[in-house]
Amino acid sequence: SITSAQGSDNQTVVQGNQLQTITYSISSDCDQLHDTNIYGQQLISGFPPGVSASLSGNTVTISGTPTSQASGTYNYSITIDNSIPGTDTEPFISATTSTTITGVINVDVPVDELVLSSSQNTVNQSICDGQPITPITYQLGGSATNVSGTGFPPGIFICFI
């Protein structure tokens, strides 16, 4: 049998943020985790870029951080079995039992945003001609990397640092 923490096998994560580690406990004779079988078939598939799986003892662990190339829904599948890999002196021994683990990882793109970091009182100001305004400060959030604006009175401008 295969067990994991409730809900951990169906997650949503934002690009660049670490996935909540998914662990599966296995109680069977399946103790081999390979990328492909001897026929070239994928046994681990469907992970977003930056996420991978490993097997240690009776535990399959899925972890990582989806890269900026990852977005959307990833239906993953991991097949483990009891095959014995071949060596220089021993032949490959085919699996007599196998099991498949499936789940879903949704990767969201960070949202561009401006977050006011100065006082709310700085947003709407009335001043006399020739007098300075109190600076209005915003922080870029999400994946925002630039800012622009229009409609400012003469002498008022955006300074992006």
Side-chain angles (χ1 to χ4, degrees), residues 33-116:
L33 177 65
H34 310 285
D35 289 338
T36 58
N37 65 14
I38 62 169
Y39 308 109
Q41 297 167 315
Q42 285 295 124
L43 300 178
I44 299 174
S45 63
F47 287 128
V51 175
S52 62
S54 63
L55 175 67
S56 178
N58 293 6
T59 303
V60 173
T61 302
I62 300 170
S63 61
T65 302
T67 67
S68 60
Q69 288 78 37
S71 68
T73 299
Y74 293 83
N75 296 296
Y76 65 85
S77 172
I78 304 169
T79 301
I80 56 175
D81 62 33
N82 67 342
S83 65
I84 300 174
T87 65
D88 290 340
T89 58
E90 297 291 325
F92 172 82
I93 298 175
S94 295
T96 57
T97 185
S98 69
T99 190
T100 300
I101 298 168
T102 60
V104 178
I105 300 171
N106 295 298
V107 180
D108 290 340
V109 175
V111 176
D112 295 344
E113 61 183 352
L114 284 174
V115 179
L116 181 67

Side-chain angles (χ1 to χ4, degrees), residues 3-53:
T3 58
S4 67
Q6 185 175 6
S8 70
D9 56 353
N10 188 349
Q11 292 188 36
T12 299
V13 63
V14 175
Q15 285 176 350
N17 291 336
Q18 187 170 350
L19 182 73
Q20 177 188 342
T21 300
I22 303 168
T23 56
Y24 292 94
S25 294
I26 304 159
S27 57
S28 74
D29 293 335
C30 299
D31 60 0
Q32 298 292 316
L33 177 65
H34 310 285
D35 289 338
T36 58
N37 65 14
I38 62 169
Y39 308 109
Q41 297 167 315
Q42 285 295 124
L43 300 178
I44 299 174
S45 63
F47 287 128
V51 175
S52 62

Side-chain angles (χ1 to χ4, degrees), residues 125-134 154-156:
Q125 299 180 40
S126 296
I127 59 166
C128 294
D129 191 26
Q131 297 297 309
I133 66 167
T134 301
I156 304 294

